[in-house]
Amino acid sequence: MVKINFSKKGDADQDVLIVPVLTGTEKLPGLPDNITNQLKSLLSAEDFQAKAGGTAAQRVAGQKIVFVGLGDREKLTPEQAKTTGAKVWSDLGNVSEKSVGLWGESVKPSILLKLTEGLLLRNYLDSRYKTGEELANAKKKLFSTLTVIADTDAALRREIDELTKITEAVHYVRDLVSAPPIDLKPEDLANEAAKLAQTYQNITCRVLNKKEIEAEGLGLLAAVNRGSAHEPRLIILEINANKKEKPIILVGKGLTFDSGGYNLKPSGGIEMMHIDMAGGATVLGTIKALAMLGSKKKVIGIVPATENLVSGEAYKPSDIIKSYSGKTVEIRNTDAEGRLILADALSYAEKNFSPALMIDLATLTGACRVALGERYAGVFSRHPEITKRLEQASKISGDKIWYLPLDELHSEQLKSKVADIANISEPSRLMGASSGAAFLSFFVKEETPWAHLDIAGPAHQSVEIEAWNPPSGATGYGVALLIDLITNW
Ligand SMILES: [Zn+2]
């Protein structure tokens, strides 16, 4: 985790100093004269402009100074500041183990906070799978100490401390989601959960293995797993378990590799399917963040984890499977497996824990990704109060959401002639995201305060959309959203 120092103006002895400049400010209060003079001459030579996105890197008395333009004070939004913080990371050069300073005297606290957030989120490297020079060079770009130079008050210092912890959890989720399926099988995901319980005193972890999953009657999870040589797991991770209140429950899809099963995915559609456990990873990351933040909320994370593969044992289209709830499901398509394991996990959660709030996260449908792209999660809920709270959390965290429909129309389409429900609608393939949500709603009581988040889009970005995420790769979407939702629930 990056170490954060706070320092007052006048102290600018870091190896690299970032100096944000708003339009019309030539003299920044407290900035040493030699740096101010450098800024003045850059501005007058038009080598640097204070408009948003402008940058200039200079050496002043041996120190690297990166001036970064923020544009007009009145027009600058927190999200732009977060983007600027992330973009300036690329201009820092090789800073490995060295200290970075962020000159915060010239901007208001809310902007300073967002600049810091962008910078910290972008300061990430998955160092597990590259070797040699490329790895060594990539590592040099990481900084380990950030000094915020401003007259900060206790509230801002606390907020920056919190975002440092949340960022750590976001990076943890990116690592989990990026891990190749050879290294992250259901048992590995369960081991990660167990490690969290070893690390943080108030986390407890219980894991059901294949035998226990079958004995409990989690028939859908067991069926999806049948084609895999690796056992399924049901991970139950709890924080503040001894509190008497009703828990908040987070359910995350943990498909560690989804081939589609007998409805096999084609080339072009199968390569990224190790990320199909992003919902589960987000649940683990959120509980880790809650522990780091010292949260007193009682939260239970439930992650059904399995692979979906093809073998002589694999479940097949036209199979009829009995779920944990007792309801039967006609399998029309083995690639609609996420909703199956989630259905069991949701009814397991509802029956055993009576949730005060239940949120599930899943890379559930390509349809949602097509509809909303790689920045927005689709939200489905029968409870307007939850959607309202999610909207508030989304605005604060920057994890974007969009409300999509879930009603009788979608449930109607899932009727089966041979079982209680079918796992995809027939004959139409339209409304895929709503159809997936409608299937889940069949397993959750109307009165249970539940919302479903389809994160098939934002869990991963294939090209750079947000500068604070890796240019392409896992984003860690959802941790900040859930932390805000839970904290204010
Ligand atoms: Zn699938």
Side-chain angles (χ1 to χ4, degrees), residues 253 258 260 265 276 308 334-338:
K253 175 182 170 185
D258 177 19
K265 290 176 188 289
D276 214 11
N308 181 24
T334 57
D335 195 11
E337 82 302 322

